[in-house]
């Protein structure tokens, strides 16, 4: 958010001072970097607002927003069910999502010459169309030919988040996703081959976003690694923020899937274990997370009925069924979201079946999800 003044503590309507970038006191005004635009000729007063200390600029269509009352300027698109917004608890989106996590698309910049609909004021039982077409606690007023929507108690996204939301397609999550969460020992066969016990609760670690690799580029074996292992896994792409999500609703936060490799410097990992050190050297190096194209959720009716396979130079090395996961996708997402805040574009690797083995420079890895997709990578030695 761009912070600014020009929103008084007791006035109504749309706060002035669109270009004012100075932080101001509870009821005052501050020096403006540019003169404020003139007020509209006709303005219907809005509800009284409590005192506060700042205003904010929403980049989703240039809407001026008070940091307390969250006044937003936008024309809702046809077919948008505004009633659903009243129950939204994730209101951190700005651009293209109606300042909520419900994935309602909004056109922006705001369309000109739209005026207040006759007789529409308030929401829920107080006004609006039957059934609460406008959120409870909301009101509409005319401002310069645009609609201003008051939402009390909702937080706005920062300008950077607002500007980036619609510009970041989930189909290219590897370009902008921030976090890769990897689940270990989620298949009993892999736990046995690692001579490790099956965990009572999920074991997980993180990879940096710099680990992503797409087809056409080689997997590099780090100079310090003598034994580089492949691990084929189903990846879950997070579609919207997940924080303390119940297992029954976890799949609502899934945008889709991807086939992934968790490339592991196995000798380095064993040394880290012996010394009680983190696994970052073994798991987080560049090119350690090759991924396939994005698979929309609609193409995978049940993520627990997929067959994964991996070949090295044409020889089958790994084969497994996601039905054999110790912890299901909804359970993992719910469990992780109690510990981490998962954001849109984040990736969860759900563990590998048995059959991991070493690869070296010149080897070709081919992996796939039966009936869905396959991918191919070459291994090179790091110079």
């Amino acid at each position: 958010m761009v912070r600014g003044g020009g929103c008084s503590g007791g006035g109504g309507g749309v706060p002035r001072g669109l270009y004012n970038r100075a932080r101001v006191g509870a009821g005052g005004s501050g020096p403006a970097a540019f003169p404020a635009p003139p007020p509209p000729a006709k303005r219907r007063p809005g509800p009284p607002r409590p005192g506060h200390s700042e205003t904010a600029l929403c980049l989703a269509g240039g809407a001026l927003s008070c940091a307390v009352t969250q006044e937003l300027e936008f024309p809702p698109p046809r077919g948008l069910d505004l009633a659903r917004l009243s129950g939204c608890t994730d209101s951190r989106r700005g651009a293209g999502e109606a300042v909520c996590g419900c994935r309602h698309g909004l056109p922006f910049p705001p369309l000109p010459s739209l005026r207040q609909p006759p007789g529409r004021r308030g929401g829920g039982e107080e006004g609006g169309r039957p059934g609460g077409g406008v959120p409870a606690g909301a009101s509409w007023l005319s401002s310069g030919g645009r609609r201003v929507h008051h939402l009390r108690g909702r937080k706005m996204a920062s300008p950077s988040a607002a500007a980036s939301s619609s510009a970041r397609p989930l189909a290219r999550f590897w370009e902008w996703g921030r976090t890769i969460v990897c689940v270990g020992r989620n298949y009993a066969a892999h736990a046995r081959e690692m001579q490790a016990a099956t965990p009572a609760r999920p074991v997980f670690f993180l990879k940096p976003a710099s680990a992503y690799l797409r087809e056409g580029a080689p997997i590099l074996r780090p100079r310090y690694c003598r034994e580089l292992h492949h691990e084929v896994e189903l990846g879950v792409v997070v579609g919207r923020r997940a924080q303390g999500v119940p297992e029954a609703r976890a799949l609502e936060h899934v945008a889709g899937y991807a086939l992934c490799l968790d490339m592991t410097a196995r000798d380095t990992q064993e040394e880290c274990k012996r010394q009680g050190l983190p696994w970052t050297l073994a798991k987080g190096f560049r090119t350690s997370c090759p991924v396939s194209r994005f698979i929309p959720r609609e193409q995978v009716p049940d993520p627990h009925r997929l067959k994964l396979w991996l070949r090295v130079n044409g020889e089958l090395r790994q084969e497994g069924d996601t039905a054999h996961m110790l912890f299901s996708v909804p359970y993992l997402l719910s469990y992780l979201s109690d510990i981490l805040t998962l954001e849109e574009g984040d990736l969860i690797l759900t563990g590998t079946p048995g059959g991991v083995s070493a690869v070296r420079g010149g080897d070709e890895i081919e992996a796939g999800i039966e009936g869905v997709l396959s991918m191919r990578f070459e291994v090179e030695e790091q110079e």
Side-chain angles (χ1 to χ4, degrees):
M1 289 183 180
V2 178
R3 300 180 183 276
C7 188
S8 63
V14 181
R16 297 176 59 186
L18 180 61
Y19 302 100
N20 188 347
R21 299 175 186 269
R23 190 180 179 93
V24 298
S29 61
F34 302 98
K42 294 182 180 180
R43 180 165 52 188
R44 185 175 176 181
R49 291 168 292 176
H52 52 88
S53 59
E54 59 185 355
T55 60
L57 180 65
C58 170
L59 294 188
L64 187 64
S65 167
C66 166
V68 172
T69 60
Q70 297 305 312
E71 296 180 1
L72 306 176
E73 294 186 57
F74 61 83
R78 294 174 183 175
L80 174 64
D81 183 5
L82 285 171
R84 294 180 61 188
L85 295 181
S86 61
C88 175
T89 58
D90 183 0
S91 56
R92 296 169 180 83
R93 301 283 174 216
E97 292 192 10
V99 290
C100 80
C102 294
R103 303 186 63 77
H104 299 296
L106 293 177
F108 58 88
L111 302 176
S113 71
L114 283 175
R115 299 189 179 277
Q116 178 190 7
R120 173 173 288 181
R121 181 169 179 82
E125 298 178 356
E126 298 179 3
R129 64 175 179 266
V134 179
S139 64
W140 292 90
L141 61 149
S142 175
S143 172
R146 288 187 290 183
R147 298 175 186 175
V148 179
H149 185 198
H150 295 262
L151 284 177
R152 286 194 180 92
R154 302 217 184 271
K155 296 181 179 179
M156 289 285 293
S158 66
S160 58
S164 62
S165 176
S166 63
R168 293 177 168 179
L170 281 166
R172 302 185 69 84
F173 64 90
W174 57 84
E175 293 183 349
W176 54 273
R178 296 191 304 180
T179 305
I180 304 171
V181 185
C182 306
V183 178
R185 288 185 279 161
N186 198 26
Y187 289 79
H190 179 58
R192 286 194 299 270
E193 70 183 357
M194 292 290 101
Q195 298 180 0
T198 55
R201 62 179 62 89
V203 175
F204 67 94
F205 55 92
L206 306 180
K207 286 180 184 274
S210 59
Y212 277 125
L213 182 70
R214 292 283 292 138
E215 282 191 89
I219 298 169
L220 300 177
R221 187 176 79 165
R223 287 187 294 270
Y224 55 81
C225 169
R226 297 185 306 276
E227 190 177 1
L228 179 65
H229 279 202
H230 56 75
E231 298 184 6
V232 64
E233 311 197 11
L234 176 67
V236 178
V237 181
V238 178
R240 59 188 175 103
R241 173 176 287 205
Q243 184 173 318
V245 176
E247 184 177 349
R249 303 194 61 180
L251 289 180
E252 298 174 14
H253 294 259
V254 174
Y257 304 90
L259 182 64
C260 309
L261 300 181
D262 173 15
M263 301 304 297
T264 304
R266 189 70 70 195
D267 56 321
T268 306
Q269 183 187 33
E270 294 303 323
E271 184 61 29
C272 290
K273 288 180 180 178
R274 280 193 293 270
Q275 298 187 31
L277 299 175
W279 296 357
T280 308
L281 266 176
K283 294 283 194 176
F285 56 90
R286 285 189 300 273
T287 77
S288 65
C289 188
V291 295
S292 72
R293 65 171 173 83
F294 174 75
I295 309 167
R297 183 177 64 183
E298 294 75 20
Q299 295 182 18
V300 181
D302 186 352
H304 309 104
R305 300 186 65 179
L306 300 173
K307 294 187 181 299
L308 309 180
W309 57 266
L310 181 142
R311 297 186 179 95
V312 177
N313 301 327
E315 177 188 353
L316 184 65
R317 297 280 184 89
Q318 284 190 270
E319 190 173 28
D321 195 311
T322 55
H324 298 153
M325 288 183 185
L326 300 178
F327 304 105
S328 69
V329 170
Y331 183 88
L332 288 174
L333 203 149
S334 176
Y335 178 86
L336 293 170
S337 72
D338 272 342
I339 302 168
L340 311 171
T341 297
L342 299 170
E343 299 285 359
E344 181 182 27
D346 287 350
L347 179 68
I348 302 171
L349 272 61
T350 57
T352 188
V356 302
S357 63
V359 291
R360 58 179 58 88
D363 285 347
E364 182 181 77
I365 299 175
E366 185 180 9
I369 302 175
E370 188 175 289
V372 180
L373 55 71
S374 65
M375 62 182 185
R376 190 186 305 264
F377 291 90
E378 290 187 358
V379 181
E380 292 183 4
E381 306 292 336
Q382 188 175 30
E383 296 180 359

